[in-house]
Amino acid sequence: MATEDQTTTSLPRCPSDKGGICTTCFFGALSIILAACIPLMLYPEAGEKVINVMFQFITIKMGWLYMLFGLGTFSLLMWFAFGPFSHKRLGDTIEYSTFSWIGMLFCAGVGAGIMFGGSIEWAYYAAYPMHGAPVGSLKAAEWSTAYGMFHWGPICWSIYAVLAVPIGYSYYVKRIPILNISQACTGLLGDKVNGWPGKVIDILFMTGLVAGSATALGLGIPIVAAAIASVTGLEHSFWLEFGTLILVTSIFCISASLGLKKGLSKLSDFNVMIAMALLLFVFIVGPTVFLTDMAITSIGLMYSNLITMATWLDPTNANGFTKDWTVFYYAWFVAYAPFMSLFIAKISRGRTVREVVLGPVLIASLGCGCFYLVFGNFGLHLQLTGQLDVVSMVKSVKGATAIMAIADFIPMASLYKVVFASVTAISMATTFDAVSFALAATTTRKLTPDEEPARWNRLFWAMSLGLVPTGIMLIDGPLSVLQTASIVVGLPVLGVIALGVFSFLKEYRRTGWMEHDATICAPRDI
C-alpha cells in the first residue's frame, strides 16, 4: 500500500535538464575531471608533490576520522540487518538470481584490486613490524595475511554498502524514478536535491568515482600485460599495456552496450565461476596443508583482534603501516562507496534490507578473503621455504612482474597465467561496466526500475574511464599519483555519505517505515 509519503506532489524540473540528461552533472563532472587530469599529465612531478602534501594531511591528520567512520558504518549496517525494518523489502519482485546478484556486487566491488592485493599484498606488509612482531618473523607473516582479509573484509564492505538501503528506499519504496546519490539526501535537503545542492552532491560523487576507478585500472592493466609478455615473450612495454587497456575497454564497452541483464550479469556469472575454479586449482596443486593451516590461523587472528585492527592508529608513528595501508584503503573505499551503494541498490530489487546488508558484508567479504588465503598464502609459502624471495622482488620490480614470477611455480604455468590474466581483465571490465552505468544513471533525469540509461550515455562514460590511465601511462607517471588523487577526491565524499545516512534516518523517524507495507506504488511524475 502506498503511504502518504509516497504520493506527494511532483518534483520540480531542473532548468539544466535537457533531452533526459542533467547537463549540469554531465558537463560539471567532465570539466572537473579534465581540469584535474590535464595538469597531472603535463606536470606530473609538480602535481605529485602537491597531491602528496594532501595525502600526508589526510592519512596523518584525518586518519582518526576514517577509522571511526569505518566502525560507525559497520555498526549502522548491523542495525539495518537486525533492526526493526530488517525484514522490509526494497521493491516487489526479485530481479536477479542470488548467484547473479552476489556475482555482480562482488565483481563490481573488487575489480582487479583483489587479484593484485590477494596475490602479493602480504609481501608489501612484510616491510612493517606488526603489533610487536618484528619484520621477517613468522608472526609478522601471519599478521600480513590477516590484514589483507581485514582490509577487504566486513568494514570495507560496510563502507561500500552504507547508502544502499537509503538509495533503495528512495528508488523502490518511495518509487522516485531518479537513480542518483542526491535523492538519498531528500530527508534533510527536501526539494533542494533538485537544485544546485543536489547537483554539487552528484558531481562530487562522479568525480571521486572516476578518480578511484582510474587507480583500479592502473593496478589491473600491468597484470594482464605482464601475463601476455611472460607467455608470448613480448617485451612488457608501454604499447603492450596500451593495447591491453584498449582490449579491456572494448570488453566493458560491449558489456555496457548490452545492459545489466544481457551484459554485466552474464559476464559476472562467468567470471565468478572461472575465479572459483582458479582458486580451487591452486589450493589442490599447491601446498594444501599449509594453505589450510595458514587460512585457519589468519582467520582466527583477524577476528580475535578485529577491534584492535579497526582502531589501531599507531599514535607514536612507529612504522607508518596504518597511514600507508589501512587509512589509505578506508579513504579509497569512501571514494567508491556512493557508487557501490547505488549499484547494490539497483540490483537488489525485491530483496530484504537484511539481504542487502549481509550479502556484501558477509558473503563478499568471504569471497575476498579466499583470494588472500589461497593466492596470497601460496606466495607466502614460496617465501618461507626459500623458493622465491617475493619480499625483495616487490622492492625492485613491479608487482605484476612478481605475480608472474609466483605463477611460474604453479603446474601448467603458462595456462594458469592466461586464465589469471583473463579473470583480471574480466574483473576490470565488470567493475567499469558497473561504474559507467552509475555515471550514466546519475546524469539521467528520469530512470524507472525497468529502464536503463541511454546506450550512448553508458558508452561515453565507459570510454572516458580509459582516458585517465592512458594519459598516466603515456607520460610514464607514477601510479601513486592516481592512488593519492583518488583518496584526496574522496575526502568530501565523507560529507555526502553522512548527509545521506542522516537524511534516511530522519525520513525513517518521520514516516515510520516499520509501520507500513513496502509495496511499490505508482511512479511519481517528474
Side-chain angles (χ1 to χ4, degrees), residues 177-261:
I178 302 176
L179 188 60
N180 58 30
I181 302 302
S182 59
Q183 286 300 316
C185 303
T186 304
L188 289 179
L189 296 182
D191 286 344
K192 291 181 180 179
V193 297
N194 302 295
W196 70 264
K199 305 307 178 188
V200 170
I201 289 172
D202 290 331
I203 289 172
L204 284 175
F205 151 66
M206 295 173 69
T207 307
L209 177 55
V210 172
S213 301
T215 302
L217 272 176
L219 287 173
I221 293 299
I223 294 178
V224 180
I228 295 173
S230 179
V231 172
T232 63
L234 295 173
E235 180 186 359
H236 188 165
S237 62
F238 160 77
W239 290 109
L240 182 59
E241 291 195 357
F242 182 69
T244 302
L245 178 61
I246 293 177
L247 173 63
V248 172
T249 303
S250 300
I251 294 174
F252 67 74
C253 280
I254 293 172
S255 179
S257 68
L258 294 174
L260 292 184
K261 292 184 179 179

Side-chain angles (χ1 to χ4, degrees), residues 264-280:
L264 181 59
S265 176
K266 303 299 182 184
L267 197 59
S268 297
D269 288 351
F270 175 75
N271 199 43
V272 168
M273 289 187 289
I274 298 300
M276 291 172 61
L278 199 63
L279 286 167
L280 184 61

Side-chain angles (χ1 to χ4, degrees), residues 32 73 114 125 136 142 223 288 296 301-302 332 409 441 504 523:
I32 293 176
T73 55
I114 198 68
Y125 296 171
E142 294 173 1
I223 294 178
T288 305
I296 296 173
L301 186 63
M302 185 189 77
W332 193 12
F409 290 83
F504 173 72

